[in-house]
Amino acid sequence: LLGDALGFLGGARADAGAVRHGAQRAELAAEFSLVDCPAAIDWLREAELDDEDACQLRRTLRADGGSRAWINGRPVPVAQLAELAALLVEIHGQHEQQALLSRAHQTRLLDAHARHPALLEAVRSNAIQWKALHEERAALLARGDVGERQAWLRHQLQELDAEALAPEALAELDASHRRQAHAASLISTCEQALEQLGGDHAIAAELHHLRGSLQREIAHEPRLGEVDALLDSAAIQLDEAFALLERIRDDLDLDPDALDALERRLARVQDLARKHRVSPEGLAAHRDALARELDTLADADERLQRIERDIAQAHAAWRMSAAELSASRRKAGDALGESVAALIAELGMEGGRFEVQLEDSDSDTPDPQGAERADFLVSANAGQPPRPLRKVASGGELSRISLAIEVATLGLDAVPTMVFDEVDSGIGGAVAAAVGAKLRALGAPRQVLCVTHQPQVAAAGHAHYRVSKAATDGMTQSSVAMLDADGRTDEIARMLGGAEVTDEARAAAKRLLDASSASS
């Protein structure tokens, strides 16, 4: 259940059946120290989810199958939760061991052992550049006859350039049309206003008469002087309004020909907008885009030739970087093969062989992962030729090989927590003791959690937790308890001897614990 729980916290799918009957939801949470995980610290900082030197993952599963996830108390998509969890914990169980059978996974393990990230990045970037150039060439060729496209673009631009399409020009055109279309009513309105402002009984004359009356009474009421000053200012404004009205009236002219010309221009702009499927205001930008395309086609032939040269150069650069990567992989494969072969011999496969074979790709297309894939070959018995791991390894052998590879690549994986879920199934005796010793070695530089039924493996742990189940009020409850020295001796004795713990079993358990402590 430990592996399942951490897997669910890491973004794996879960069956709603995991929710206890009668409950609305299941909730899981785990807190990780980030002291030895700079990659996770950087990830959290970039995602703006950082919270000091610890990280809490939380996820709920509802009885109807829905789930939610949180990082440091903030809701996140499950995909984001999985991305972070991959930097925090690595689970090795029956399902995860199956990944070891894929060539892609084996290639990644080999690259991790080789420690050549710069070579991997060079191969990847050269392949990406080649692909981008190849797609650009395909796009150019897909255009067909460039000359025909150029002629079409020139025709479109000729039509568009015939009109003033700048936003301010279109605004002025609309204003001119409105002014000319309403010229008669505008002239009439201006003349009426001029008459009301400038005639014998106009507003200006009335205002002048009113000011004279007020001025005669100012001596009796000084505040009337303020009123007179305001009216004086109004008189000035009226004079300016009168002058402006005269200029506007003089500018207006009933000209049917001018109105017709403006309406024709507006119609052409509307027609162009419909033709090019943009708004009138967007015609200028559309015209500029067509002009840019025409510029790019001006040297299309030369550009196509240049792309062809660039494609060849990118392909050559990829081949060179891929060759360097292949050489590094071959060297690393030999070293990894020797290390794993020695380790699997210690884990009960005496005389077994482990080799890393590189299989070249049949395609000459630049691959971001390199020109080959790794294939792990193993021979479990002396005298037998090595064959692909996916064809010969049994469940127990695969568990031990997986463990051997982890030990061989110790220190190369930045993930601080590793979980081994019954990787020791199907073995016992001295082999189980060897497995326990390797797990203990892994547990020195990082946190290793191991679910086991093997006393030899349990004795090798730095700490021992007992998981038990019991029925309480008709409901099964699971409990986890950390064992002290005496409790640990009793538990390992039970694992050795069964339900009845004898003095002999306790003595054997103590010998296992002492041996593990002495080997550290």
Side-chain angles (χ1 to χ4, degrees), residues 206-432:
E206 293 293 334
L207 182 59
H208 179 73
H209 178 71
L210 175 60
R211 288 188 61 203
S213 300
L214 292 174
Q215 288 170 358
R216 288 192 292 270
E217 303 298 331
I218 288 176
H220 308 301
E221 174 53 76
R223 287 181 296 178
L224 292 176
E226 296 179 20
V227 177
D228 182 61
L230 292 172
L231 292 175
D232 182 51
S233 176
I236 295 172
Q237 297 290 328
L238 284 172
D239 290 342
E240 292 180 356
F242 186 86
L244 181 56
L245 272 171
E246 284 187 318
R247 290 196 298 271
I248 293 174
R249 183 198 59 188
D250 293 342
D251 289 342
L252 292 170
D253 186 19
L254 287 174
D255 189 347
D257 293 337
L259 177 60
D260 185 59
L262 289 170
E263 289 180 341
R264 287 198 301 271
R265 285 186 59 194
L266 279 173
R268 286 198 298 271
V269 170
Q270 294 292 341
D271 289 343
L272 287 172
R274 284 191 295 270
K275 177 179 179 180
H276 294 278
R277 298 182 180 180
V278 297
S279 66
E281 293 76 16
L283 281 170
H286 181 67
R287 176 199 59 202
D288 295 343
L290 294 180
R292 287 193 297 270
E293 183 182 355
L294 184 61
D295 289 341
T296 61
L297 292 179
D299 59 345
D301 292 338
E302 180 181 348
R303 189 167 169 222
L304 189 58
Q305 293 175 6
R306 186 170 63 251
I307 289 177
E308 293 284 1
R309 291 194 299 269
D310 291 344
I311 288 175
Q313 291 174 1
H315 200 287
W318 177 84
R319 283 199 300 267
M320 183 178 298
S321 58
E324 294 178 4
L325 178 62
S326 298
S328 180
R329 280 173 170 170
R330 283 193 292 271
K331 182 178 179 180
D334 293 341
L336 180 61
E338 292 177 5
S339 298
V340 175
L343 288 165
I344 63 176
E346 296 180 39
L347 297 177
M349 298 171 65
E350 189 68 37
R353 294 167 58 190
F354 184 89
E355 297 177 3
V356 179
Q357 184 181 78
L358 297 179
E359 294 190 3
D360 294 335
S361 172
D362 295 333
S363 173
D364 193 40
T365 299
D367 187 329
Q369 303 303 319
E372 66 281 312
R373 293 291 184 272
D375 198 7
F376 289 175
L377 308 181
V378 65
S379 171
N381 302 299
Q384 297 294 322
R387 297 177 58 198
L389 181 63
R390 60 186 175 279
K391 294 183 178 180
V392 299
S394 64
E397 291 170 345
L398 186 58
S399 297
R400 282 173 277 172
I401 292 170
S402 173
L403 179 59
I405 291 173
E406 288 297 336
V407 174
T409 57
L410 182 62
L412 302 179
D413 196 339
V415 177
T417 299
M418 302 174 68
V419 179
F420 290 88
D421 191 1
E422 299 192 32
V423 296
D424 50 12
S425 60
I427 60 174
V431 175

Side-chain angles (χ1 to χ4, degrees), residues 38-51 80 83-84 87:
I41 293 175
D42 293 341
W43 187 96
L44 285 165
R45 187 176 295 118
E46 184 176 348
E48 298 182 351
L49 293 166
D50 50 316
D51 187 10
Q80 197 172 24
E83 190 175 341
L84 174 60
L87 302 174

Side-chain angles (χ1 to χ4, degrees), residues 110-269:
L110 175 61
D111 288 333
H113 184 70
R115 302 191 191 193
H116 49 210
L119 292 178
L120 285 169
E121 177 57 28
V123 170
R124 189 187 71 85
S125 62
N126 287 329
I128 290 175
Q129 183 182 13
W130 178 89
K131 182 180 179 181
L133 289 167
H134 201 270
E135 291 175 348
E136 186 177 356
R137 181 184 64 177
L140 280 176
L141 294 175
R143 290 177 173 177
D145 187 352
V146 174
E148 184 177 324
R149 178 68 177 176
Q150 288 175 316
W152 183 85
L153 288 170
R154 290 192 189 98
H155 176 71
Q156 303 306 312
L157 287 170
Q158 185 176 8
E159 283 187 340
L160 291 168
D161 288 337
E163 300 296 333
L165 300 176
E168 57 273 14
L170 293 178
E172 176 57 30
L173 174 61
D174 184 66
S176 297
H177 178 262
R178 289 175 178 272
R179 187 165 52 247
Q180 190 61 49
H182 297 84
S185 62
L186 287 171
I187 291 173
S188 176
T189 300
C190 288
E191 289 179 345
Q192 291 176 13
L194 287 170
E195 183 177 352
Q196 292 176 6
L197 287 174
D200 293 338
H201 301 287
I203 296 174
E206 293 293 334
L207 182 59
H208 179 73
H209 178 71
L210 175 60
R211 288 188 61 203
S213 300
L214 292 174
Q215 288 170 358
R216 288 192 292 270
E217 303 298 331
I218 288 176
H220 308 301
E221 174 53 76
R223 287 181 296 178
L224 292 176
E226 296 179 20
V227 177
D228 182 61
L230 292 172
L231 292 175
D232 182 51
S233 176
I236 295 172
Q237 297 290 328
L238 284 172
D239 290 342
E240 292 180 356
F242 186 86
L244 181 56
L245 272 171
E246 284 187 318
R247 290 196 298 271
I248 293 174
R249 183 198 59 188
D250 293 342
D251 289 342
L252 292 170
D253 186 19
L254 287 174
D255 189 347
D257 293 337
L259 177 60
D260 185 59
L262 289 170
E263 289 180 341
R264 287 198 301 271
R265 285 186 59 194
L266 279 173
R268 286 198 298 271
V269 170

